[in-house]
Amino acid sequence: MTEAMLKLPASVRLDALPAIWAELEAALLAESLQVGAGAGQVLHLNAAPLTDFDSGVLTLLLSAARLCRQRELQLQVFEVPAKLQELARVYGVGDLLWPEQAPAADQLA
């Protein structure tokens, strides 16, 4: 399995989202060319630097995941701050962003 790693910036706010997405999209596209398309290929996105954010970060992450899926790659976000995990849970998108942390169906009963 080939892996590549990118990092989120320290701040992701709605007002700066277009510029942040432009940078992240370019980085994702460049990394996707490096790893090549194929099942099992993973792009890692480190969320540890993220300290200042609003709900715009969810848009950013969902767009990044969509772009990776279109290129038959998997986006794996790690070192996710607890506040971001809670925000994703409140918005109902946590299982879309980090499915490896989603509870199994038998745990939901």
Side-chain angles (χ1 to χ4, degrees):
M1 177 181 349
T2 303
E3 298 181 356
M5 182 179 15
L6 301 170
K7 291 183 180 181
L8 285 175
S11 178
V12 177
R13 295 277 174 184
L14 281 170
D15 59 344
L17 206 54
I20 295 169
W21 173 243
E23 287 182 30
L24 182 59
E25 181 182 33
L28 287 168
L29 290 171
E31 290 294 335
S32 73
L33 292 174
Q34 291 286 328
V35 300
Q41 304 290 10
V42 177
L43 289 178
H44 281 162
L45 183 58
N46 186 342
L50 193 60
T51 57
D52 176 44
F53 58 90
D54 57 22
S55 62
V57 72
L58 298 176
T59 300
L60 186 77
L61 291 171
L62 289 168
S63 296
R66 183 180 314 111
L67 184 130
C68 287
R69 274 193 314 275
Q70 290 170 348
R71 296 190 164 271
E72 298 181 12
L73 300 168
Q74 177 187 358
L75 179 67
Q76 194 168 57
V77 183
F78 66 101
E79 294 191 44
V80 180
K83 182 180 169 187
L84 177 53
Q85 290 179 15
E86 178 63 13
L87 185 65
R89 185 193 67 75
V90 168
Y91 277 83
V93 297
D95 58 334
L96 296 173
L97 295 172
W98 28 88
E100 65 280 358
Q101 294 179 2
D106 60 345
Q107 294 176 339
L108 297 175

